[in-house]
Amino acid sequence: MHYTHGHHESVLRSHRWRTAENSAAHLLPHLTPATTLLDVGCGPGTITADLAARVARVTATEIGPDELGLARAEAERRGTPNIAFEVADAHALPYGDKAFDVAHAHQVLQHLADPVRALREMGRVARLVAARDSDYGAFTWYPALPELDEWLALYYAVARRNDGEPDAGRRMLSWARAAGFTDIEVSTSTWTFATPGDRAFWGGMWADRVVRSSLGRQAVDAGLATPEDLRRIADGWLTWAADPDGFLTIVHGEVLCRA
C-alpha cells in the first residue's frame, strides 16, 4: 500500500483538526465507559484520544511504527493512559474473534486496495463496526475555479494509481454488504468551510499539500503534473480562501454494522 497523502506537516495539520465530535458523531451514542475499541488506521491520534476518554480501553493501529508514533505522541501529550499501540494490517488484523466491542475506521477504507476485506476483518474482531469516509466526487465549492477542478482531477489520478477509491463515501453500504453484513445503519454528515477562518485553514492547508506533500511528488513523478501546475493549483486554493463568498462542503458516508 502506498498512502496517497503521506505525512507532511500540511497533511497532519488537517488530520489533527479532526475530533470525535466532528468526525465520529455517528459512533458516539454507542459507546459506554465499559467499551473496548479497536481504532484501525488511527493517524495522528486526535480522534483516538477523544474516543479513549469515553471508553475503557482502545487499541490503536497503523501501518508502521513511524506512523504509529504520531498517535503515541498525541496520547502522551494528553496524558491518556488507556491506549495500546500496535502495528497492524487492516486486511489481516492480528486479533481473535470478537476481541473488541467496537472496531472504528475513519478515512481509511478509501486508501485500501481491498476495503471489503478490511470491513470483514473488522467484523470478525468486533461486535460493532463503525466506518466513515469522504466522497471526493460529492465535494461542493463556490465560486467555480478551474484550478480546483484541476486539483480534483489530479487527486483522482494519484489516488487511483495507489489502488484507492476517492469516492468511498457512496460505496460504504455496498462494501458493507459485500463484506457480509446484514444489519447496517447508513448515515451521512458533512464538514463545511465558509467562514474566513475556516477558509484560511482549509485553503491554506491544501495549497501547502499540493506543492509540499507526497501527493504533489507522486503527481510529478508519474508525469501527471509539473511543478508549475502544482503552483497554479495551490494559488487557486488561496484565491478560493480569500473570497468572502467562498464555500466548501465535504460529504461523508458512514456505516454502523452489527456483526
Side-chain angles (χ1 to χ4, degrees), residues 184-198:
I184 308 167
E185 182 179 330
V186 182
S187 58
T188 60
S189 60
T190 62
W191 293 334
T192 298
F193 303 91
T195 68
D198 286 347

Side-chain angles (χ1 to χ4, degrees), residues 213-239:
S213 77
S214 177
L215 172 66
R217 290 194 299 274
Q218 292 176 69
V220 172
D221 291 345
L224 298 169
T226 67
E228 292 74 20
D229 293 331
L230 299 182
R231 286 191 289 271
R232 183 177 63 257
I233 293 170
D235 287 344
W237 273 110
L238 297 177
T239 298

Side-chain angles (χ1 to χ4, degrees), residues 17 191-205 240-241 246 248:
W17 167 85
W191 293 334
T192 298
F193 303 91
T195 68
D198 286 347
R199 285 194 305 271
F201 168 72
W202 198 252
M205 177 272 298
W240 171 82
L248 185 144

